[in-house]
Amino acid sequence: MEIPTLAADPAFTAALHDVPAGSVSAVLATYNRCPFDPAAGRLRDNPLTWALDTLRGQTGVALAEIVVVDDGSTDHTPEVLDLYQTTPGVPLRAVRLPAHAGAHAARNAAVAAASCRWLLFGDDDCAFTPYVAAGAAHTMSVVREQDRATGAVMLPFYYRALRPYQSRPAAGIGRLDPAQALFTTHFHTWPAEYGGTPPRLDSPAGIVAPLPVELIGGTALLNADALRRAGGFVDLSSWASSYSDHLHLSADLTDAGIRLWHCPDPRLGAAHLKWGAVGRYPLDPADLATMLPILDRPLSDLVALAARPRAHTGCRVPDQVFHEEMIGSFFAFFAGRSLPGATKWAARCWRDFVSNGVVYSAAIAEAPPVEQRVAAWRSGLARGARTVTRGQLRPARTAAELATVLDQVCAEAGQPPISP
């Protein structure tokens, strides 16, 4: 499959310069992403600075401000934010939560503090292309002319890479079906149907046409009013990984009648460095050698810093905790939306993860031994059931409903019953 290389030609950049000034607030939630002391000369080895510097280097005048909410960091984050607040560039507003409350609390605080109609969400260990803010705003404007229910445009991100290296049918990108326990992200891939000559938005910028999706992720432009109508980010403080946050957000947006899109144009993308994960990410030598605009250093420098095991940073948890969190938090999401979906999810995790050692996330280097996989499956389902029955997520379920699901999947797996 041919994946085109798209240039930032004069028509593209000229159109982005025409995006109305001050229409976008960039919002970042951050937690312990500044381990290096800026006073020791290592300011720009901190991943938060990669996000801030590339946001400040955006093309055009669309970006009005950067709002950063520090979720109770215990490293050098306060000093780094103080430095950025006193240096020239796009204004930075810093909000500090009194204690670590979780990504949902930080994101909701950022939404409350932001002043613009459109909110550009990103991860605090991303390096953004120079066209993200204006390109996303331009795309949102054009799509909303055709569909006024549009409230979110997902943008591509590439795991320790700068462009897509895989293609996938569009029907497998950004899908969410709670009744079937189905979700697919694949925002780092190229829609196979687009081939080497992709369809374009009907606008002078020539941005690649977006796809309708049911799921968005952490790098997206959202309409602030739509986000408020959907109730904001749900409280996932029970889960340190916050791994299911965008399942809840996407479903809540859809329930509120808001339509979601994904724009796969790599010019509007970000390199997601996955700080603190060793991972199983394929690395391309050409990408690694590429000097990043604004940062003026090769991608390989950032990857070398990021690919070291770290916990208690961002939403990163130790590998042995991740599997329980993923199984349990997704079970809680599916159970709230569809009991048959929860049953399918629990059975799938037994088959894929426990029996066959399939690890769903490339952030995890290898599968644990089978006895640990069984323990993670059981404890994850128990935690997920408790979360739902105690009303910590919306909507809630009764203990009897969850007991029926757990009894069924345990019987099918030949496991003793699970007591939430």
Side-chain angles (χ1 to χ4, degrees):
M1 169 61 64
E2 180 185 1
I3 300 175
T5 300
L6 301 173
D9 56 41
F12 172 81
T13 55
L16 298 193
H17 278 282
D18 287 339
V19 173
S23 54
V24 176
S25 295
V27 290
L28 299 177
T30 192
Y31 175 60
N32 284 352
R33 287 288 163 86
C34 294
F36 303 116
D37 187 352
R42 299 198 64 183
L43 171 65
R44 287 185 166 79
D45 284 344
N46 292 308
L48 178 59
T49 70
W50 309 337
L52 296 179
D53 288 344
T54 53
L55 286 172
R56 277 191 161 177
Q58 291 294 296
T59 293
V61 292
L63 190 60
E65 61 182 355
I66 304 170
V67 179
V68 183
V69 175
D70 177 8
D71 186 19
S73 296
T74 57
D75 61 359
H76 296 285
T77 298
E79 301 103 284
V80 169
L81 292 177
D82 284 346
L83 285 171
Y84 275 82
Q85 286 184 291
T86 58
T87 54
V90 176
L92 186 143
R93 301 170 59 193
V95 178
R96 180 171 173 84
L97 301 186
H100 183 52
H104 75 282
R107 289 178 180 135
N108 284 333
V111 172
S115 62
C116 294
R117 176 189 182 192
W118 290 338
L119 307 177
L120 177 63
F121 287 85
D123 286 298
D124 56 347
D125 58 348
C126 280
F128 300 93
T129 72
Y131 314 108
V132 169
H138 181 87
T139 302
M140 178 77 87
S141 295
V142 174
V143 175
R144 279 181 59 81
E145 289 177 3
Q146 309 298 321
D147 181 3
R148 300 304 295 176
T150 294
V153 174
M154 179 66 195
L155 303 171
F157 57 85
Y158 308 109
Y159 300 115
R160 295 176 181 166
L162 301 176
R163 54 196 173 102
Y165 287 93
Q166 299 172 297
S167 63
R168 181 169 293 271
I173 300 174
R175 302 272 76 92
L176 179 61
D177 183 347
Q180 298 300 320
L182 170 69
F183 71 97
T184 61
T185 53
H186 303 303
F187 300 119
H188 64 292
T189 65
W190 182 250
E193 296 85 346
Y194 280 17
T197 308
R200 308 294 182 113
L201 277 179
D202 185 15
S203 79
I207 290 172
V208 174
L211 309 164
V213 293
E214 298 102 29
L215 179 68
I216 59 170
T219 307
L221 187 74
L222 273 75
N223 183 314
D225 290 338
L227 182 57
R228 294 185 184 101
R229 280 170 49 201
F233 290 87
V234 71
D235 184 350
L236 292 178
S237 53
S238 299
W239 309 97
S241 67
S242 292
Y243 201 58
S244 63
D245 56 356
H246 282 83
L247 297 181
H248 289 277
L249 176 64
S250 300
D252 289 342
L253 287 166
T254 300
D255 286 349
I258 296 155
R259 279 194 273 277
L260 318 177
W261 298 81
H262 167 54
C263 180
D265 195 317
R267 294 170 296 183
L268 311 188
H272 193 178
L273 276 302
K274 303 299 288 186
W275 180 261
V278 175
R280 296 174 285 115
Y281 303 104
L283 302 176
D284 181 78
D287 274 3
L288 293 175
T290 299
M291 296 294 290
L292 298 178
I294 309 302
L295 302 181
D296 196 29
R297 61 196 302 185
L299 179 66
S300 59
D301 280 5
L302 278 57
V303 171
L305 288 163
R308 301 174 185 177
R310 301 174 188 267
H312 310 297
T313 172
C315 296
R316 188 79 54 222
V317 295
D319 286 4
Q320 63 269 25
V321 177
F322 172 84
H323 302 292
E324 175 188 317
E325 289 250 332
M326 182 204 67
I327 292 168
S329 64
F330 278 43
F331 179 75
F333 169 77
F334 289 124
R337 298 277 167 175
S338 166
L339 291 172
T343 305
K344 289 181 173 68
W345 172 251
R348 184 182 305 158
C349 289
W350 177 266
R351 180 183 66 249
D352 292 350
F353 174 65
V354 180
S355 298
N356 297 323
V358 174
V359 175
Y360 292 129
S361 173
I364 306 300
E366 59 185 7
V370 65
E371 63 274 10
Q372 293 182 23
R373 301 201 297 268
V374 172
W377 183 79
R378 293 181 60 85
S379 58
L381 295 182
R383 282 183 62 193
R386 287 196 299 271
T387 301
V388 179
T389 57
R390 292 174 182 175
Q392 292 174 260
L393 298 176
R394 54 180 188 260
R397 294 287 186 181
T398 67
E401 288 174 314
L402 269 295
T404 299
V405 171
L406 294 176
D407 287 348
Q408 177 181 337
V409 295
C410 286
E412 292 174 354
Q415 283 285 301
I418 293 174
S419 298

